[in-house]
Amino acid sequence: MDREDKRRYFYIGSVYLEVVTPLFQQKLEEHYKSLNFRSLKDFLDKEAVIHILFHLRHRNAWCCADKANCTNQGALPLNHHQWKQLFAENPGPGIHNCFCKYTAKSINLVDLDVSLCGLILYNCCNLGQLDQDAVHILRRNKNDYLSHNTTCGITRDEYGPLIDELKTSILQLDQAKEDELIRILKRPLDDSLCNKYVTYLLDNHEMLERIYSRIDHSETHILNTMNRNKTQLSAQIEELKQTVVFQNGREKLDKQGIEEQPIDTFKMGQSIFALHHLIDLTSEIGDDFSRVVPAAVMMDDGRMVICLPDLHKLLICNTDGSNVDRIHTHEGPWAVTAVNDSTVAVLMLVMRIELYDINTKHNIKSISVPGMWLGTGITTINNKLVVYAERTLQIIDHQTDKVVQTIDTECGPYRLHGSGDRIFYYNNANDFNNKLYWYSYTDEQHDTVKLPSQPMCMTTLQDGSLYVVCKDGSVRHVSRDCQQYETVTTEGLERLKYYWMLYNKKQGKLVTKGDQKTIFKVFYKI
């Protein structure tokens, strides 16, 4: 197989797994919540929904209720494995084969793969015509180019029209996905990640269904067997890491290394910062409108380290734009966090963490984290790195490269931000509930606060309160206990064009993007 064919396959597969899948999940959740259903289970139990899905799985069946809407499909797009994933048969002998025999299972949106989620979205949700066409095109192309593609290659002639159609359909559903598409299409080929993606993109259900007919055991044993077989298809999927004790057996957070908060606290709604000056970094970043500047960090000495994935470099400069320096990287840097005064941990586009000394510009080490999600970013807590991988928050000791703790979350977290004993994040797959999420080590509990608009990034101020940039461009000042918030009215912070903000407690400086991606506003604490 030609390596360029594999690269093109990698791009298309990445788009489906990293953009289309969460987008379908988001659209499905928006739909059922707009109908006042509290959960996916409640939506699937709706008579009209279960009736539609029943006939997408069962042929020559006529139901005892809603007979006028019974259909007889020539093909059955919902396979046996997917049906069993969604519904359970009610106890007791069934009188006849009808949807009334079944009840929806308690299933999470994140457990629906792109094919199943797209099927429900297309057949059971009242979409506008343009959105319905977009979902149809994305489902069709997944089946035509990925579901049965065992060669893991896409030719040049196929790729051009295919990627154009994918872009158009995705942006029809969500214009905000443009930056994610640009980021994916500029990444280098990662063979190990590509091999792993093949596992999820191939339609393995035909093989899995044979297990049902050959194994005469309990349903639990069948499902376990199916999961084992699916796991074995990819040599890239590591064995599940054992959850280990983190700092005295998951008891109270060891406060060593975490700065104590100052006694002074900010009053909610007070003016804390004033715009001091602007920095123009166009000469370093370039004026290409499609170029992304996804993340940065401000060090304690005031230097900013800015990720430039398109240029494969970290840009280093003071907050006045002086002393510009660069670290050239082999792959694109996507997110960054400070480890100590001179070391940063960088999340690369190839799903790997690189540690750099920003003084010597040396690459200190590389840490591989299988199944890591780029959009979640990277942060630190108690001198440990935090990323999201294999559907859990993973706490990594950067000195030993070992995962020392895993934490389950109820959603896929984005823009991780460590502060004190808490890890903050938001749910990118659902912008309907506008919740800011966090996990507390001290209490070992998850909690949320609901804001007027979806949180997009956050930073912690000197007193432990937060500035949260929301999707509507507003900045909300959230109290340290997260029980109250106020809208920030400081000139220059009333409405931000980009979801991007830095703050450093020692410097007392706050930085945001201006109206252009290469212009930065620097605010000083009053």
Side-chain angles (χ1 to χ4, degrees):
M1 179 189 61
D2 184 271
R3 187 164 179 80
E4 285 301 299
D5 289 351
K6 185 174 183 179
R7 180 180 60 82
R8 287 185 282 265
Y9 174 93
F10 179 54
Y11 289 162
I12 300 299
S14 297
V15 167
Y16 267 93
L17 290 176
E18 298 176 30
V19 179
V20 178
T21 299
L23 179 56
F24 276 4
Q25 293 167 348
Q26 171 191 334
K27 290 296 181 182
L28 178 55
E29 185 170 32
E30 287 175 354
H31 176 76
Y32 73 67
K33 287 196 172 180
S34 71
L35 299 175
N36 295 321
F37 289 104
R38 293 178 299 174
S39 66
L40 177 60
K41 180 186 186 304
D42 292 342
F43 176 68
L44 293 174
D45 270 330
K46 180 183 176 185
E47 180 178 292
V49 174
I50 189 173
H51 194 186
I52 290 171
L53 295 174
F54 175 82
H55 286 293
L56 293 180
R57 174 59 212 157
H58 300 85
R59 191 182 288 116
N60 298 321
W62 306 103
C63 300
C64 62
D66 196 23
K67 292 181 180 179
N69 290 314
C70 286
T71 59
N72 197 22
Q73 302 287 333
L76 298 178
L78 188 63
N79 63 53
H80 185 79
H81 171 66
Q82 291 171 325
W83 175 259
K84 298 291 284 187
Q85 187 180 0
L86 297 177
F87 297 103
E89 190 168 347
N90 297 324
I95 301 174
H96 59 284
N97 191 23
C98 173
F99 71 83
C100 66
K101 289 172 54 177
Y102 299 94
T103 302
K105 293 180 178 179
S106 295
I107 186 172
N108 296 319
L109 270 171
V110 294
D111 295 325
L112 301 182
D113 63 22
V114 64
S115 298
L116 182 53
C117 194
L119 181 143
I120 298 172
L121 193 62
Y122 183 76
N123 290 281
C124 303
C125 299
N126 296 321
L127 304 175
Q129 187 60 53
L130 292 178
D131 282 3
Q132 189 172 40
D133 291 344
V135 172
H136 170 70
I137 289 169
L138 291 169
R139 293 181 64 235
R140 181 197 66 198
N141 287 340
K142 162 65 167 60
N143 185 66
D144 290 347
Y145 294 97
L146 298 174
S147 294
H148 312 286
N149 188 343
T150 57
T151 65
C152 308
I154 292 177
T155 67
R156 177 190 291 179
D157 291 340
E158 292 173 324
Y159 180 78
L162 174 58
I163 194 64
D164 288 343
E165 206 167 36
L166 292 187
K167 288 179 182 177
T168 301
S169 299
I170 290 168
L171 296 179
Q172 166 61 36
L173 296 173
D174 189 347
Q175 289 285 334
K177 298 297 182 183
E178 186 172 11
D179 278 354
E180 291 186 56
L181 292 173
I182 292 170
R183 182 257 303 172
I184 288 173
L185 298 180
K186 288 181 177 291
R187 66 164 54 149
L189 171 61
D190 183 335
D191 287 300
S192 62
L193 183 61
C194 184
N195 292 337
K196 179 176 180 179
Y197 277 4
V198 172
T199 304
Y200 301 119
L201 293 168
L202 277 175
D203 186 357
N204 297 311
H205 298 305
E206 291 181 5
M207 180 200 73
L208 295 175
E209 283 197 51
R210 295 194 197 105
I211 298 173
Y212 279 95
S213 62
R214 291 204 297 258
I215 301 179
D216 185 18
H217 293 296
S218 68
E219 181 178 288
T220 300
H221 179 77
I222 292 172
L223 292 174
N224 289 339
T225 304
M226 287 166 51
N227 289 332
R228 286 198 299 272
N229 275 270
K230 187 172 183 179
T231 301
Q232 291 167 1
L233 290 174
S234 174
Q236 300 303 312
I237 302 179
E238 294 187 349
E239 295 180 358
L240 294 175
K241 295 180 175 69
Q242 180 182 3
T243 302
V244 297
V245 177
F246 173 61
Q247 301 274 329
N248 298 325
R250 290 198 57 150
E251 297 175 351
K252 301 297 182 181
L253 175 68
D254 180 0
K255 299 295 183 180
Q256 182 179 1
I258 297 180
E259 294 183 16
E260 294 182 1
Q261 301 292 346
I263 297 175
D264 294 337
T265 58
F266 299 125
K267 294 181 180 179
M268 301 301 295
Q270 80 173 91
S271 293
I272 302 173
F273 301 96
L275 179 62
H276 190 269
H277 63 272
L278 302 179
I279 312 172
D280 186 349
L281 295 177
T282 306
S283 61
E284 290 293 330
I285 299 173
D287 56 4
D288 182 351
F289 76 94
S290 68
R291 185 153 293 156
V292 293
V293 186
V297 65
M298 191 188 305
M299 310 298 286
D300 285 347
D301 62 6
R303 286 182 292 176
M304 296 190 298
V305 182
I306 303 172
C307 292
L308 300 177
D310 300 327
L311 301 177
H312 285 203
K313 72 178 180 182
L314 296 169
L315 179 65
I316 305 169
C317 67
N318 292 330
T319 52
D320 61 1
S322 64
N323 294 332
V324 175
D325 207 345
R326 306 152 199 85
I327 297 177
H328 295 280
T329 60
H330 292 295
E331 292 88 18
W334 187 253
V336 60
T337 188
V339 175
N340 55 43
D341 291 343
S342 62
T343 305
V344 293
V346 185
L347 187 58
M348 313 302 288
L349 285 176
V350 291
M351 309 291 185
R352 190 171 61 242
I353 300 171
E354 303 281 357
L355 269 65
Y356 289 94
D357 186 315
I358 62 173
N359 292 331
T360 65
K361 297 190 286 187
H362 289 159
N363 186 331
I364 300 172
K365 65 161 51 179
S366 176
I367 303 174
S368 178
V369 185
M372 186 163 54
W373 288 21
L374 280 174
T376 62
I378 185 171
T379 189
T380 53
I381 188 167
N382 199 29
N383 200 33
K384 300 290 188 296
L385 302 178
V386 186
V387 296
Y388 184 69
E390 303 292 358
R391 301 187 184 278
T392 60
L393 287 175
Q394 298 202 358
I395 314 300
I396 302 171
D397 186 334
H398 58 83
Q399 297 178 333
T400 64
D401 303 353
K402 301 296 184 182
V403 176
V404 296
Q405 186 179 354
T406 59
I407 302 168
D408 291 329
T409 60
E410 65 178 77
C411 66
Y414 273 68
R415 290 290 184 95
L416 295 175
H417 173 67
S419 172
D421 69 339
R422 292 180 291 182
I423 303 170
F424 290 89
Y425 55 92
Y426 74 93
N427 182 2
N428 188 52
N430 176 11
D431 59 1
F432 195 82
N433 60 23
N434 301 339
K435 289 181 179 178
L436 175 65
Y437 295 76
W438 69 88
Y439 173 80
S440 169
Y441 273 111
T442 303
D443 302 326
E444 294 186 349
Q445 291 182 353
H446 296 271
D447 211 339
T448 63
V449 61
K450 189 171 183 178
L451 301 178
S453 178
Q454 182 187 15
M456 299 301 290
C457 79
M458 62 290 300
T459 192
T460 306
L461 305 183
Q462 284 174 311
D463 66 342
S465 61
L466 296 105
Y467 265 15
V468 181
V469 183
C470 295
K471 196 167 187 176
D472 62 3
S474 64
V475 179
R476 312 287 174 169
H477 186 193
V478 180
S479 62
R480 183 175 180 178
D481 61 7
C482 295
Q483 297 301 306
Q484 55 182 318
Y485 60 83
E486 295 286 346
T487 301
V488 175
T489 57
T490 301
E491 183 178 355
L493 294 175
E494 315 98 313
R495 190 72 57 180
L496 298 182
K497 184 176 180 180
Y498 298 101
Y499 313 131
W500 202 94
M501 180 175 285
L502 308 178
Y503 180 72
N504 182 277
K505 298 177 184 179
K506 288 189 175 180
Q507 291 291 316
K509 298 175 185 178
L510 181 140
V511 181
T512 68
K513 287 184 185 177
D515 292 334
Q516 300 178 34
K517 294 182 179 180
T518 58
I519 307 295
F520 299 83
K521 299 177 182 178
V522 181
F523 297 80
Y524 282 15
K525 182 175 172 293
I526 298 174

